[in-house]
Amino acid sequence: MYIKNGICYAGNNEKEIKVSSAMPLNGGMLLVTFETGEKRLFDTTLLKGSAFEPLKNNDVFSAVRIFHGVLTWMDGEIDVAPETVYAESYPYEEKETDTIRI
């Protein structure tokens, strides 16, 4: 339990996670940078449900946008919470001969 601005909340007071940028890569992968500067790889092909079917279209997938720290596509019709992106992504370490952007 924690108190913020005079309001009592259940759970832990965890820092809010926000995405600051996302670069589409081959194979449905995104190189995601969080506000902390941390970079991680996120595989959009693992997203389940019909809502994510349009991401199989490369034109839709590569048009990823960030709206208030959240990954979105199709003017917000598709979105993925930054907490999900972080939890289901993998650490990324930059190398001089890095990935090819699509």
Side-chain angles (χ1 to χ4, degrees):
M1 178 170 55
Y2 66 98
I3 298 173
K4 183 176 179 182
N5 297 327
I7 300 171
C8 185
Y9 295 91
N12 298 323
N13 185 9
E14 296 183 22
K15 187 171 180 160
E16 187 176 14
I17 298 173
K18 288 187 176 185
V19 173
S20 61
S21 69
M23 182 188 329
L25 306 173
N26 291 326
M29 298 294 290
L30 291 173
L31 177 56
V32 179
T33 304
F34 293 88
E35 283 191 340
T36 61
E38 183 177 3
K39 293 183 179 190
R40 297 177 67 88
L41 291 171
F42 180 66
D43 187 352
T44 63
T45 66
L46 300 178
L47 295 169
K48 304 289 185 216
S50 60
F52 300 108
E53 286 296 312
L55 297 181
K56 292 180 180 178
N57 178 318
N58 194 50
D59 290 334
V60 172
F61 168 74
S62 62
V64 62
R65 299 287 180 259
I66 311 303
F67 183 73
H68 295 286
V70 177
L71 294 177
T72 67
W73 292 266
M74 299 173 54
D75 293 325
E77 287 185 39
I78 302 171
D79 64 40
V80 182
E83 297 82 5
T84 299
V85 174
Y86 191 88
E88 296 182 13
S89 61
Y90 305 92
Y92 172 80
E93 293 182 26
E94 281 188 83
K95 297 178 184 171
E96 287 189 34
T97 57
D98 260 345
T99 55
I100 300 171
R101 187 175 179 181
I102 59 169

